[in-house]
Amino acid sequence: MNDRRKFFRNALTLGAGFLPIAKAAVPPVAVESPDLKDLPFTLDNGVKVFHLVAEPVKQQLTPGKTVDLWGFNGSAPGPTIQVTQGDRVRLIVDNHLPEPTSMHWHGFEIPHDMDGGPGISQEPIKPGGRFVYEFTLHQHGTYFYHSHMAMQEMLGMLGAFIMHPKEAYAPRVDKDFVVLLQEYWVLPNSTVPNTMNMEFNWLVLNGKAGPAATPLIVRLGDRVRIRFINLGMDHHPMHLHGHTFRVTGTEGGRLPEAAWIPGNTVLVGVAQARDVEFVANNPGAWMLHCHLPHHMMNQMASIAGPMSRPHGQMDSDVSKDANRVPGFPQDAYMEGPMMAMDEMVKKPENYNLPPGWSGFMQGMMTFVRVLPPAQYDQIMERIRRGQS
């Protein structure tokens, strides 16, 4: 008997355990949306049913600055929707705004009458009205939903829509985050953004401006994915300190590995999504921010007039040179640390950061905190208990 026949005879004799066992499908990890909630769903004969309410919201961008926006289910951006490739979903949209709206599912390959193009694929949803969208999802990747009324987009009406693959992408990540990029122009004496303006003075991540934006917490050695979504008027070059990532996906879905691009800055254009992945092998509190200089500041706008300069202890060190050193002071007095507000933005994710850290975090800025296991467990326990 030859070796091949002997192998199969022994396999049948010893049972299936002798043969190589196919690996079970590995499910993806859930996406985390710092400072935002997930949208819950119910099941109706296998259909996942989500309920979105378009409505005016009050959004605190940072302590002391609350603005009037339009969003979904109490926040701007709206809650994150998470589904799995192959799901059939029903999305009930109620309009509590004072004008018509519609909901576009950005990048979805769905029937035309579900696309949400007002006056084209559907009649706009009138104030007090409702429209029910229903379709089956065959795609997977980073997608988003938004009003298809242009000025409503500029008032905050978007949200992340994550389509998980049936089996986790390889290599599988340990942490998966989504970060939505927005900007607003709000005059100092107003709470309502001017949606027609082309200059912006509040730059936010998931609806929060630095230092109020919640850091992304990861364990040293974790493989991490960050999904950036941009729906505004400006492009944003998003930069991560301390690590080299690979761009692994766009708003069109997952990229083949041969097309992954290494970098530490990725340009996220308007109406685009970019997924980046990296191994968090370098411990520390690493800045994650838009690298446009004006986007690393709040209240930066020439037509609003110069800012006050509420500097801390460094102010006395530099003020003596203000009138005799070329290039200082600058037009908007933006250089140097702003007033630290550590206590005002105190939360578990900020625990044990250096005193005064918040004075250097403005605009579209946050951290990726790469923590050794003991420190990671400590902060995660504080998050669980809600301890600052």
Side-chain angles (χ1 to χ4, degrees), residues 58 69 72 77-78 88 121 129 147 254 257 284 295 299 331 348 361:
K58 288 191 177 293
L69 304 177
F72 300 98
R88 186 162 184 84
S121 62
S147 163
R254 183 77 166 177
E257 188 170 351
H295 291 189
Q299 289 287 45
D331 284 348
M361 300 292 289

Side-chain angles (χ1 to χ4, degrees), residues 326-337:
F328 185 90
Q330 298 174 21
D331 284 348
Y333 298 150
M334 295 304 301
E335 205 61 43

Side-chain angles (χ1 to χ4, degrees), residues 23 36 118 184 218-219 226 290 343 368:
K23 292 182 179 179
L36 298 173
Y184 300 107
V218 304
R219 187 195 301 267
I226 304 176
C290 176
E343 288 296 318
V368 175

Side-chain angles (χ1 to χ4, degrees), residues 152-356:
Q152 293 179 10
E153 294 177 25
M154 294 302 297
L155 273 173
M157 295 188 67
L158 79 152
F161 198 120
I162 307 301
M163 301 187 205
H164 292 286
K166 293 179 180 179
E167 183 175 354
Y169 299 130
R172 186 178 186 269
V173 296
D174 303 289
K175 286 278 193 169
D176 198 337
F177 299 95
V178 63
V179 178
L180 295 100
L181 318 175
Q182 296 168 287
E183 61 273 331
Y184 300 107
W185 166 249
V186 188
L187 286 169
N189 61 346
S190 176
T191 62
V192 179
N194 180 349
T195 59
M196 293 294 292
N197 208 73
M198 296 295 289
E199 190 175 357
F200 304 99
N201 60 347
W202 286 96
L203 292 304
V204 297
L205 303 172
N206 287 357
K208 297 289 185 180
T214 297
L216 283 54
I217 306 298
V218 304
R219 187 195 301 267
L220 181 65
D222 277 352
R223 184 174 180 84
V224 181
R225 178 184 298 121
I226 304 176
R227 307 168 186 253
F228 297 109
I229 294 173
N230 179 16
L231 190 69
M233 282 295 294
D234 284 349
H235 304 314
H236 299 290
M238 298 303 297
H239 174 59
L240 174 64
H241 291 209
H243 294 81
T244 298
F245 54 61
R246 298 293 188 274
V247 180
T248 61
T250 74
E251 71 284 352
R254 183 77 166 177
L255 292 172
E257 188 170 351
W260 292 1
I261 302 171
N264 51 61
T265 305
V266 59
L267 182 63
V268 190
V270 173
Q272 290 183 338
R274 289 293 181 270
D275 298 347
V276 302
E277 295 179 26
F278 61 96
V279 176
N281 55 11
N282 197 359
W286 299 105
M287 287 186 177
L288 175 67
H289 62 91
C290 176
H291 217 292
L292 286 175
H294 288 183
H295 291 189
M296 290 187 280
M297 300 178 257
N298 290 328
Q299 289 287 45
M300 193 297 303
S302 58
I303 62 173
M307 280 188 59
S308 59
R309 189 184 177 97
H311 283 290
Q313 57 186 355
M314 288 186 64
D315 193 47
S316 60
D317 299 333
V318 299
S319 60
K320 61 181 181 292
D321 295 324
N323 296 318
R324 58 188 177 86
V325 177
F328 185 90
Q330 298 174 21
D331 284 348
Y333 298 150
M334 295 304 301
E335 205 61 43
M338 297 299 292
M339 181 170 56
M341 49 197 305
D342 297 11
E343 288 296 318
M344 299 173 71
V345 294
K346 201 171 183 181
K347 63 184 72 172
E349 293 86 349
N350 294 337
Y351 177 70
N352 215 25
L353 287 171

Side-chain angles (χ1 to χ4, degrees), residues 91-124:
L91 300 125
I92 302 168
V93 178
D94 287 335
N95 182 12
H96 292 181
L97 300 172
E99 67 180 28
T101 190
S102 73
M103 186 71 75
H104 176 55
W105 314 99
H106 195 99
F108 290 28
E109 296 172 355
I110 52 178
H112 182 262
D113 60 354
M114 294 289 104
D115 182 61
I120 306 298
S121 62
Q122 71 169 83
E123 288 299 313

